[in-house]
Amino acid sequence: MSIREGKVLLIANPAAQNGAGAAAADRAATLLRAALGSDAVVLAKTAGPRHASEIAERAEGCATVLALGGDGIIHEAVSGLMRRPANARPAFGIVPAGSGNDYARTLGMSRKVDEACEQLLAAEPHAVDLGRVNGHWFVETLSFGLDAAIALDTVERRKRTGRTGAVLYAEAGVDQLLHHLDARRYTASFDGGEPTSGESITFAVQVGPSYGGGFKICPDARIDDGLLDVCIAHPPIGVAGAAFVFALAKSGRHTRFRQMELRRASTLRVEFDEAPPAQMDGEVIGGRTFDVAVEPRALAVLMPPR
């Protein structure tokens, strides 16, 4: 079903891009109503954390739910949609208006509101995979260790300074590399196989290829192959070496180093000796033990023509 069939619910985070999301939401609603009809698009602005999830869960009578903002509101909206019965679950689409916009990159969506709306009007739904960890859904990324610490530090810097953009992720990365290059012991089992133990600096589990504003941690990951891609960075690695690998990850060229272990699996269980920094789509998740699985073709997502 395309966006032109049935009612559209546009869930927008007005605080995205430090307040620019409000204007972006009004602009998107205006453009979509002009194309689809004034009564065809309902705009709902979020009032705080988890509100998008509540709105999406109550999306009765809507054929399409759109999320306008960054990866955080996408994560919330999808979580709400997945609480609906499968036969009453609207198609999902996005209007990128965040700082990282990793899911937008994966879907091929423009980060300009006008162009994104044009793409949605021409888009068709595709069944895509979702990840699930300890009962929580994630659309793109789950990670533990250094990369999670960088992602969470970036969020705090954004709140504290009001600045946005990939430069914040780079600044957080430099700070974490210099002061928190910690190896963490873990035991992991992939697809129910024998548990293996080791140490990791970064342990990333991906549905799509990138995180942190375009860092291609698992460059070959696909959102419709029914598998999770895993990248584990093992010690030993010094600050200079880690910084070099970090820089190469922007283009996905870090994978050739011997410290990098790449795997694919449909399920995995990982237990850390101590609770690591952990994030899913930029949202914090706590604990030491994580049960992770892919849900193949779980959601119909609007993607622009390639």
Side-chain angles (χ1 to χ4, degrees), residues 51-64:
H51 193 197
S53 182
E54 297 169 7
I55 297 170
E57 185 179 6
R58 299 196 304 265
E60 300 294 339
C62 295
T64 303

Side-chain angles (χ1 to χ4, degrees), residues 44-233:
K45 295 180 181 178
T46 59
R50 292 176 292 281
H51 193 197
S53 182
E54 297 169 7
I55 297 170
E57 185 179 6
R58 299 196 304 265
E60 300 294 339
C62 295
T64 303
V65 169
L66 304 177
L68 183 148
D71 292 323
I73 194 172
I74 294 170
H75 173 87
E76 285 195 19
V78 167
S79 295
L81 287 176
M82 295 306 292
R83 290 198 291 267
R84 296 182 59 81
N87 61 0
R89 191 175 297 149
F92 180 67
I94 67 171
V95 182
S99 297
N101 296 313
D102 282 295
Y103 203 54
R105 287 181 177 84
T106 297
L107 298 183
M109 292 296 299
S110 171
R111 280 159 278 173
K112 296 179 180 178
V113 172
D114 289 33
E115 292 180 2
C117 289
E118 289 180 7
Q119 287 179 309
L120 288 170
L121 291 169
E124 294 292 336
H126 293 262
V128 305
D129 305 337
L130 296 177
R132 194 163 173 84
V133 54
N134 292 359
H136 301 282
W137 296 99
F138 62 96
V139 301
E140 178 87 3
T141 181
L142 167 71
S143 66
F144 314 102
L146 176 65
D147 48 354
I150 293 171
L152 298 173
D153 187 15
T154 302
V155 172
E156 290 303 314
R157 287 170 186 265
R158 190 179 303 131
K159 292 177 181 177
R160 188 172 66 248
T161 66
R163 295 161 55 216
T164 62
V167 67
L168 282 185
Y169 189 83
E171 289 176 358
V174 170
D175 182 60
Q176 294 293 327
L177 285 168
L178 290 175
H179 303 111
H180 302 286
L181 192 60
D182 303 318
R184 293 176 168 84
R185 289 205 57 80
Y186 69 87
T187 301
S189 174
F190 297 87
D191 289 329
E194 282 297 315
T196 59
S197 296
E199 289 187 314
S200 66
I201 295 171
T202 285
F203 195 121
V205 183
Q206 297 286 129
V207 178
S210 73
Y211 65 5
F215 284 79
K216 296 179 181 177
I217 185 68
C218 291
D220 295 327
R222 293 173 53 91
I223 60 173
D224 59 359
D225 63 357
L227 293 169
L228 298 167
D229 281 58
V230 181
C231 179
I232 308 171

Side-chain angles (χ1 to χ4, degrees), residues 259-275:
Q259 290 95 338
M260 298 295 158
E261 178 185 358
L262 298 175
R263 304 187 66 137
R264 287 195 173 106
S266 57
T267 66
L268 70 100
R269 178 182 175 89
V270 57
E271 181 175 354
F272 293 88
D273 286 5
E274 297 180 356

Side-chain angles (χ1 to χ4, degrees), residues 146 173-174 177-178 181 215 237-250:
L146 176 65
V174 170
L177 285 168
L178 290 175
L181 192 60
F215 284 79
I237 186 168
V239 172
F244 183 59
V245 172
F246 179 72
L248 289 178
K250 187 69 176 176

